[in-house]
């Protein structure tokens, strides 16, 4: 499968625990995005990488959230000290575009996080 | 910052009916516009996109959208819907080079096609 892959698909965690999600983009796509989607809403942009550089972060990305893309390939999104409000679908997307070029983003299936 | 407004949150149509889903965005500069679809249990997929040129763009599965710059609109249309078009539809915008490379999505329209 050459699409965007996310792992795990589902995660249930207790409040206060840390969680980490992984995203493998489409090979050779140099842009990688993280979004969060809650019930009844459209996806909300969190952050994006151009290769290994994190170029843009949303105000939604509190200091409990951190994202990395150490080698410019896969990315991880970590949430520390999870809260019930963090329950959502976390989506990853990738695109081949360079800076200033409009290209479409390809989305993964998402990781559904439930904080109990 | 840009925003996207989708006017219809739930739409129910019969097969063969015509469809138009409204989308308006707010941003003063150059934008790229997208419609994504999410079928039940599946990931978001691109229906169509507008970057520049002809404001009437055609996408997959018989969908089209028209960019009207003066109205800041990018409405999605299909002349005759099918039961398989039942899905969630999202309008999205970004402004590459304007510090907003990530997509801003509308809240979505849940479309149900009755056989």
């Amino acid at each position: 499968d050459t699409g965007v892959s996310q792992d795990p698909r589902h995660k249930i965690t207790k409040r206060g625990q840390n969680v980490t999600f992984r995203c493998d983009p489409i090979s050779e796509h140099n842009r990688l995005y993280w979004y969060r989607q809650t019930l009844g809403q459209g996806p909300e942009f969190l952050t994006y990488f151009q290769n290994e550089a994190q170029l843009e972060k949303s105000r939604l990305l509190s200091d409990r959230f951190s994202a990395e893309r150490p080698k410019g390939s896969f990315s991880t999104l970590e949430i520390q000290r999870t809260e019930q409000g963090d329950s959502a679908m976390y989506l990853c997307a990738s695109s081949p575009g360079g800076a200033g070029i409009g290209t479409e983003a390809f989305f993964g299936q998402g990781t559904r996080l439930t904080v109990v | 910052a840009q925003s996207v407004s989708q006017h219809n949150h739930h739409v129910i149509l019969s097969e063969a009916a015509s469809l138009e889903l409204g989308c308006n965005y707010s941003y003063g500069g150059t934008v790229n516009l997208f419609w994504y679809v999410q079928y039940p249990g599946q990931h978001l997929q691109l229906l169509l996109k507008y970057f520049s040129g002809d404001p009437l763009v055609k996408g997959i599965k018989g969908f089209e959208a028209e960019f009207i710059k003066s109205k800041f609109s990018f409405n999605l249309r299909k002349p005759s819907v099918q039961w398989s078009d039942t899905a969630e539809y999202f309008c999205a915008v970004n402004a590459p080079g304007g510090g907003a490379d990530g997509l801003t999505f509308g809240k979505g329209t849940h479309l149900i096609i009755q056989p």
Side-chain angles (χ1 to χ4, degrees):
Chain A
D1 191 323
T2 57
V4 177
S5 177
Q6 292 188 246
D7 182 70
R9 294 287 306 279
H10 303 274
K11 178 71 177 177
I12 300 174
T13 190
K14 291 184 178 180
R15 190 172 46 187
Q17 297 294 305
N18 299 344
V19 293
T20 300
F21 310 140
R22 177 181 170 121
C23 171
D24 287 89
I26 293 171
S27 179
E28 298 181 356
H29 277 191
N30 52 28
R31 288 192 159 187
L32 186 148
Y33 306 81
W34 285 100
Y35 293 83
R36 181 176 69 186
Q37 185 176 19
T38 53
L39 200 61
Q41 302 293 320
E44 297 170 296
F45 170 75
L46 293 178
T47 188
Y48 97 92
F49 293 83
Q50 172 90 16
N51 299 313
E52 67 274 11
Q54 190 173 16
L55 296 187
E56 191 178 338
K57 292 199 292 187
S58 160
R59 288 173 298 173
L60 293 174
L61 210 67
S62 77
D63 56 7
R64 295 185 298 105
F65 287 68
S66 62
E68 295 183 343
R69 194 183 183 197
K71 297 181 180 179
S73 56
F74 74 91
S75 175
T76 57
L77 177 67
E78 181 184 17
I79 308 174
Q80 296 182 325
R81 307 181 302 280
T82 53
E83 301 173 356
Q84 286 189 320
D86 297 330
S87 296
M89 178 74 85
Y90 289 84
L91 299 170
C92 178
S94 70
S95 76
I101 298 173
T103 57
E104 69 179 271
F106 295 80
F107 283 81
Q109 297 267 30
T111 294
R112 181 169 295 284
L113 172 67
T114 302
V115 182
V116 297
Chain B
Q2 64 267 49
S3 65
V4 176
S5 175
Q6 292 184 240
H7 314 301
N8 315 100
H9 296 299
H10 297 277
V11 173
I12 301 175
L13 294 173
S14 298
E15 276 193 314
S18 64
L19 169 72
E20 181 161 3
L21 301 182
C23 172
N24 286 91
Y25 68 93
S26 65
Y27 186 73
T30 301
V31 294
N32 299 320
L33 296 156
F34 307 82
W35 275 96
Y36 278 85
V37 62
Q38 190 167 27
Y39 297 105
Q42 297 190 25
H43 61 280
L44 282 163
Q45 302 172 40
L46 182 72
L47 264 183
L48 46 78
K49 60 191 176 187
Y50 172 80
F51 294 156
S52 64
D54 188 343
L56 183 62
V57 292
K58 295 191 183 297
I60 60 171
K61 304 187 180 184
F63 287 91
E64 65 178 32
E66 184 176 12
F67 170 50
I68 303 178
K69 189 174 181 180
S70 60
K71 295 184 178 180
F72 297 90
S73 70
F74 191 56
N75 292 353
L76 181 70
R77 300 194 292 249
K78 185 171 183 178
S80 177
V81 294
Q82 301 173 308
W83 177 79
S84 58
D85 292 325
T86 294
E88 192 87 20
Y89 292 81
F90 295 95
C91 182
V93 60
N94 74 350
D101 289 72
L103 291 167
T104 298
F105 284 84
K107 291 188 176 183
T109 297
H110 187 199
L111 175 66
I112 296 174
I113 306 301
Q114 295 177 330

